[in-house]
Amino acid sequence: IVLSGGDDRLWKMWGFPDGNILLTGEGHTDWLSGCCFRPSGTQLVTSSGDTTVRIWDLSRRGCILTLRGHSRAVRGCSWHSCGDFVASASMDGTSKIWDVN
């Protein structure tokens, strides 16, 4: 499985080796800059030019939390290995650690 995000404002989960799209998520209002699975594999995090970071639940097939606090585009995101925290980095010159619980 591979995740991708781009200028179309969507994230896509691809199955390989066939290359089939398994899931697609929409909700960001600008390009996606990053996407990353939670260590448990049940959720993912995305970052976007719309200044937000979003948490997606794969079983619900939707966004369950929108993190706001950056004032410019968010350029990247990542889960901490414990799965309780997300890091984000923004063009506003800040990085944030979010407690997603």
Side-chain angles (χ1 to χ4, degrees):
I1 294 177
V2 174
L3 288 173
S4 68
D7 289 343
D8 62 0
R9 305 174 185 173
L10 303 173
W11 61 263
K12 295 176 184 173
M13 183 186 306
W14 305 81
F16 278 91
D18 297 330
N20 298 330
I21 296 175
L22 305 174
L23 286 175
T24 300
E26 59 182 83
H28 282 290
T29 59
D30 209 339
W31 46 268
L32 268 69
S33 58
C35 46
C36 182
F37 280 109
R38 189 174 193 157
S40 65
T42 59
Q43 295 177 336
L44 61 97
V45 62
T46 57
S47 54
S48 172
D50 67 9
T51 75
T52 68
V53 175
R54 290 179 180 248
I55 308 296
W56 305 82
D57 188 289
L58 299 176
S59 65
R60 294 183 189 171
R61 297 179 178 232
C63 178
I64 58 169
L65 181 62
T66 301
L67 303 170
R68 294 172 173 42
H70 289 293
S71 61
R72 293 190 60 202
V74 183
R75 297 296 276 167
C77 58
S78 183
W79 287 96
H80 184 275
S81 60
C82 72
D84 294 331
F85 304 98
V86 165
S88 61
S90 170
M91 291 179 68
D92 64 14
T94 67
S95 295
K96 297 189 181 294
I97 304 294
W98 307 86
D99 182 344
V100 296
N101 292 323

